[in-house]
Amino acid sequence: MAPSVVNDVSKTQLTAEEPEHCPGPESEQAGKDDACDGCANQDICSSQIPKGPDPDMPLITKKLGMIDHKVLVLSGKGGVGKSTFTSMLSWALAADEDLEVGAMDLDICGPSLPRMLGAEGESVHQSNSGWSPVYVADNLGMMSISFMLPDEDSAVIWRGAKKNGLIKQFLKDVNWGEHLDYLVVDTPPGTSDEHLSVSTYMKESGIDGALIVTTPQEVSLLDVRKEIDFCRKADIKILGLVENMSGFVCPNCKGESKIFKPTTGGGEQLCKDLNIPFLGSVPLDPRIGQACDAGVSFFEEYADSPAATAILDVVDALRDQIEISLDKLKISS
Amino acid sequence: MEQQPPRSLANVKHIVLVLSGKGGVGKSSVTTQTALTLVNKGFDVGVLDIDLTGPSLPRMFGVEKKQVFQSTNGWVPVSVYSNALDPVEKNGKTRRGNLSLMSLGFLLGDRGNSVVWRGPKKTAMIRQFLKDVVWNSGSSSKPLDYLIIDTPPGTSDEHIAIAEELRWASPIDGAIIVTTPQQVATADVRKEINFCQKIELDILGIVENMSGFICPYCAECTNIFSSGGGKALSESLNLDFLGNIPIAPKFVEFIEMQDNEENDGKRKLIDLYEECELSPIMNGVIDKILAKDLPSRI
């Protein structure tokens, strides 16, 4: 299936490129803003008034209603291990046979999750009930744009508005089955369209929270602070922060090196400063990368490695956080 | 449709983009090193950071607290290094060039503030960067030798915007593609190369970053993120391979201990970098690019 299907979902079909400062064809200001004067789309946008609430929202909320826990994996910085951690979390949760787990890849321009979960080259099937996810284990399904690309190398050169259309469709049309215990959502770096869209669309059905991934060095923490600021603005609860790639133990001499030096105290200090839970740190291990390239579960291959233990500790701490927040809800209601 | 190159580029000889489909592979780090190496070779260099939601370059160059000023001609980029005080010939080496930087990081109130912008706003910001920044070398009106543009990961709004803006600015030297060795990264980088081909942007070559880590205790080299991915990628796509850059914790350390507003009185990054083991490697990479002898825009 070609990704061109997505054209059909953006309700407002524009005849020209949106101008600078476009208020957004779906927004209240569409067709009325200063920027709309002289825009070729002005008639189209203004004819869509009244706007009102997005008619797709109830559908999304209903669809997401059958998912118990929704966790976003976020980081302002790229390459810190968001996808790696999403795959680890998914494998770890799916190791419990009683849980149904879904993993969704919202990194549209650089989807990595299919390879890490060993689902590369698969394709998505469409039926009356929606798009069926690709199952990598009996209780672990996943969805990514890479299943819809004609060729592995083809670039997805999409502006934000088009990406939003696909994200909406992922939330609305993917058929996860009757019930899902966990949906883990992998995101691209930054604080832009994808992040705004997913938080807006999922708001009504409730997001359990976000797992923030960072590496120890200040250059990375700098961007992660921005992501935390975003979560606060968007009212997303932060379940905790995990520091990845912290320290490396030489396989030859067992000497430990801090490759990405935590000159400003690393993730732990950041958590103290911003008062968010620190879930733990995971050391660098070349075998994690190898497991991700091969698309196999790191825990099954190297169950005894210190990195595997560290990751499982983080997963446990994360589940504790999710359950704590649920308990609070029960007491208050 | 305007068919003029953006105004700020009228005084720029060479334009180089640093691209990668994958995040965190070291685009900003390679940008920094490319700029330092070119300055050490005597070129006047400007760096433009179009990673709007995660600008890292102000930190990399140790100028986080500096500000951008508005002049009658437009925005004046932050000066990172000025050769005004340099002797003309220093220890038989060529005189260094000047280095200036423009980034959205300078325009934010607090360093922890997030920039939560959708596409159209990002596009507008990039247009403004290309229109309003005054690039020149130091105080003179001499043209800038190199403008290096650092990008965010992906192939989306920022990339489309910069491609559109640069459409009439040819000839552009091209793009340095940065990757790390593992397949997960090269898969995304292939997409970026596909993007370059679609927008007809020349590729100067591929740099493999984080390729191997030499243990400081036993000198054993471990390929943390596997190895050879960059070379294999360039061979399979018939592109130039510019070199392997190993993981060097020292470089990260230099970034943090350089003369910035926090540790005053320390040494400048450009001096520290000359002692870094990455410096000769990067020299080789840049020499390969300079050997192409690409035509100047002006």
Side-chain angles (χ1 to χ4, degrees):
Chain A
M1 193 193 315
S4 55
V5 193
V6 176
N7 281 327
D8 307 333
V9 289
S10 61
K11 294 191 309 304
T12 316
Q13 296 288 332
L14 302 181
T15 52
E17 201 68 61
E18 297 106 312
E20 281 177 33
H21 305 298
C22 170
E26 315 288 328
S27 75
E28 300 250 325
Q29 277 298 311
K32 293 188 278 182
D33 202 78
D34 288 348
C36 300
D37 290 339
C39 171
N41 303 316
Q42 193 178 13
D43 287 347
I44 304 170
C45 289
S46 49
S47 69
Q48 306 245 327
I49 302 168
K51 295 277 161 195
D54 191 332
D56 286 332
M57 277 308 283
L59 295 172
I60 294 174
T61 309
K62 185 167 169 256
K63 196 83 182 180
L64 297 180
M66 53 86 192
I67 302 173
D68 282 351
H69 302 296
K70 295 171 276 286
V71 180
L72 301 180
V73 180
L74 293 174
S75 172
K77 185 95 188 97
V80 295
K82 286 179 296 302
S83 301
T84 306
F85 223 89
T86 308
S87 68
M88 295 292 172
L89 185 57
S90 310
W91 287 124
L93 289 169
D96 184 343
E97 284 171 14
D98 297 332
L99 293 179
E100 288 289 329
V101 185
M104 182 153 29
D105 186 2
L106 293 189
D107 192 343
I108 290 165
C109 293
S112 318
L113 210 50
R115 180 182 288 268
M116 292 183 177
L117 288 175
E120 228 186 6
E122 300 277 345
S123 56
V124 165
H125 299 281
Q126 193 164 19
S127 68
N128 291 342
S129 50
W131 290 344
S132 20
V134 171
Y135 282 89
V136 291
D138 288 343
N139 57 347
L140 174 57
M142 72 155 306
M143 191 68 200
S144 167
I145 188 176
S146 78
F147 300 138
M148 305 171 180
L149 298 179
D151 167 29
E152 203 193 321
D153 292 353
S154 51
V156 181
I157 309 172
W158 287 4
R159 287 186 184 272
K162 204 166 172 187
K163 294 198 272 196
N164 298 339
L166 184 76
I167 291 173
K168 188 190 255 186
Q169 217 169 2
F170 271 5
L171 294 171
K172 188 165 65 85
D173 294 343
V174 175
N175 176 23
W176 293 107
E178 302 206 328
H179 172 84
L180 208 57
D181 291 286
Y182 280 91
L183 178 68
V184 189
V185 182
D186 186 20
T187 61
T191 49
S192 193
D193 289 283
E194 294 91 334
H195 311 82
L196 278 169
S197 300
V198 74
S199 62
T200 318
Y201 293 145
M202 289 176 85
K203 184 143 262 176
E204 245 167 75
S205 59
I207 303 172
D208 283 62
L211 169 68
I212 311 270
V213 187
T214 186
T215 50
Q217 76 276 39
E218 177 58 29
V219 174
S220 169
L221 297 176
L222 185 63
D223 290 352
V224 171
R225 274 192 204 99
K226 293 180 198 290
E227 197 74 30
I228 294 170
D229 184 50
F230 165 78
C231 288
R232 300 213 159 134
K233 283 181 187 164
D235 209 13
I236 300 170
K237 183 187 151 79
I238 295 170
L239 295 169
L241 180 142
V242 55
E243 184 184 273
N244 196 15
M245 308 194 194
S246 59
F248 169 69
V249 178
C250 174
N252 187 36
C253 69
K254 311 286 174 230
E256 194 182 344
S257 321
K258 295 278 179 204
I259 292 188
F260 301 107
K261 272 209 166 173
T263 46
T264 53
E268 199 161 4
Q269 187 60 40
L270 181 77
C271 287
K272 277 185 197 147
D273 294 346
L274 298 175
N275 197 20
I276 53 179
F278 181 67
L279 302 178
S281 40
V282 178
L284 269 170
D285 188 330
R287 294 171 300 186
I288 297 181
Q290 284 160 16
C292 286
D293 272 354
V296 294
S297 167
F298 177 67
F299 306 116
E300 277 171 27
E301 302 287 310
Y302 309 102
D304 304 329
S305 65
T309 326
I311 294 169
L312 287 172
D313 285 347
V314 172
V315 172
D316 285 344
L318 182 73
R319 289 188 70 176
D320 286 348
Q321 287 294 331
I322 295 171
E323 267 136 48
I324 288 170
S325 52
L326 269 189
D327 288 347
K328 270 188 196 157
L329 272 179
K330 275 173 198 154
I331 295 164
S332 63
S333 63
Chain B
M1 197 71 202
E2 53 170 335
Q3 304 214 346
Q4 295 280 317
R7 191 152 50 93
S8 78
L9 301 181
N11 223 8
V12 176
K13 285 188 188 162
H14 297 273
I15 301 173
V16 175
L17 283 101
V18 179
L19 291 172
S20 172
K22 184 95 186 93
V25 294
K27 285 177 297 301
S28 298
S29 163
V30 168
T31 305
T32 308
Q33 298 187 50
T34 306
L36 293 175
T37 310
L38 285 168
V39 169
N40 269 332
K41 287 182 185 292
F43 294 104
D44 291 324
V45 179
V47 180
L48 175 64
D49 182 4
I50 60 165
D51 189 344
L52 304 176
T53 55
S56 315
L57 286 174
R59 178 86 193 174
M60 299 292 270
F61 284 114
V63 288
E64 263 187 307
K65 290 185 184 143
K66 294 268 171 54
Q67 285 192 319
V68 168
F69 292 101
Q70 177 100 44
S71 79
T72 45
N73 295 327
W75 287 344
V76 181
V78 168
S79 167
V80 179
Y81 182 78
S82 161
N83 66 1
L85 296 173
D86 274 11
V88 177
E89 291 274 318
K90 199 175 99 186
N91 311 334
K93 279 190 285 188
T94 40
R95 186 180 180 184
R96 283 178 186 159
N98 292 298
L99 177 57
S100 51
L101 168 67
M102 184 67 206
S103 166
L104 189 65
F106 298 131
L107 307 174
L108 301 179
D110 181 83
R111 64 201 291 268
N113 280 4
S114 57
V115 177
V116 188
W117 287 358
R118 288 194 182 265
K121 215 166 165 189
K122 293 197 278 193
T123 306
M125 191 72 230
I126 289 169
R127 282 202 190 137
Q128 192 161 15
F129 273 156
L130 284 169
K131 204 170 80 199
D132 288 350
V133 180
V134 198
W135 294 111
N136 57 29
S137 39
S139 54
S140 62
S141 54
K142 226 173 68 177
L144 189 74
D145 293 312
Y146 279 89
L147 176 66
I148 303 167
I149 303 178
D150 186 23
T151 61
T155 48
S156 190
D157 294 283
E158 291 92 336
H159 307 81
I160 300 172
I162 197 83
E164 280 180 351
E165 287 302 306
L166 294 179
R167 191 158 37 152
W168 311 112
S170 61
I172 294 169
D173 282 21
I176 299 176
I177 306 277
V178 186
T179 186
T180 49
Q182 74 274 41
Q183 286 175 33
V184 170
T186 56
D188 285 354
V189 172
R190 279 170 186 273
K191 290 180 192 291
E192 197 72 32
I193 293 168
N194 182 246
F195 169 79
C196 291
Q197 287 160 348
K198 281 189 184 158
I199 64 166
E200 293 176 10
L201 178 69
D202 285 335
I203 293 171
L204 291 169
I206 295 175
V207 172
E208 183 181 293
N209 195 21
M210 306 196 195
S211 94
F213 170 69
I214 296 159
C215 176
Y217 307 108
C218 64
E220 168 94 359
C221 180
T222 311
N223 294 315
I224 296 186
F225 301 105
S226 102
S227 71
K231 187 142 183 75
L233 180 68
S234 59
E235 274 162 11
S236 77
L237 296 172
N238 204 13
L239 295 167
D240 287 342
F241 183 66
L242 299 174
N244 291 307
I245 304 177
I247 298 174
K250 218 169 174 184
F251 180 65
V252 182
E253 217 173 294
F254 283 159
I255 295 283
E256 298 296 329
M257 64 185 269
Q258 65 177 311
D259 173 24
N260 56 22
E261 291 80 355
E262 286 158 45
N263 341 324
D264 213 22
K266 296 264 181 67
R267 301 168 63 202
K268 289 210 169 278
L269 180 65
I270 193 155
D271 294 320
L272 290 167
Y273 186 65
E274 285 196 322
E275 292 164 19
C276 185
E277 68 258 44
L278 297 182
S279 170
I281 299 171
M282 205 59 205
N283 243 324
V285 170
I286 299 299
D287 282 341
K288 277 188 197 161
I289 294 173
L290 293 177
K292 293 178 193 259
D293 202 17
L294 293 160
S296 162
R297 296 181 55 246
I298 47 175

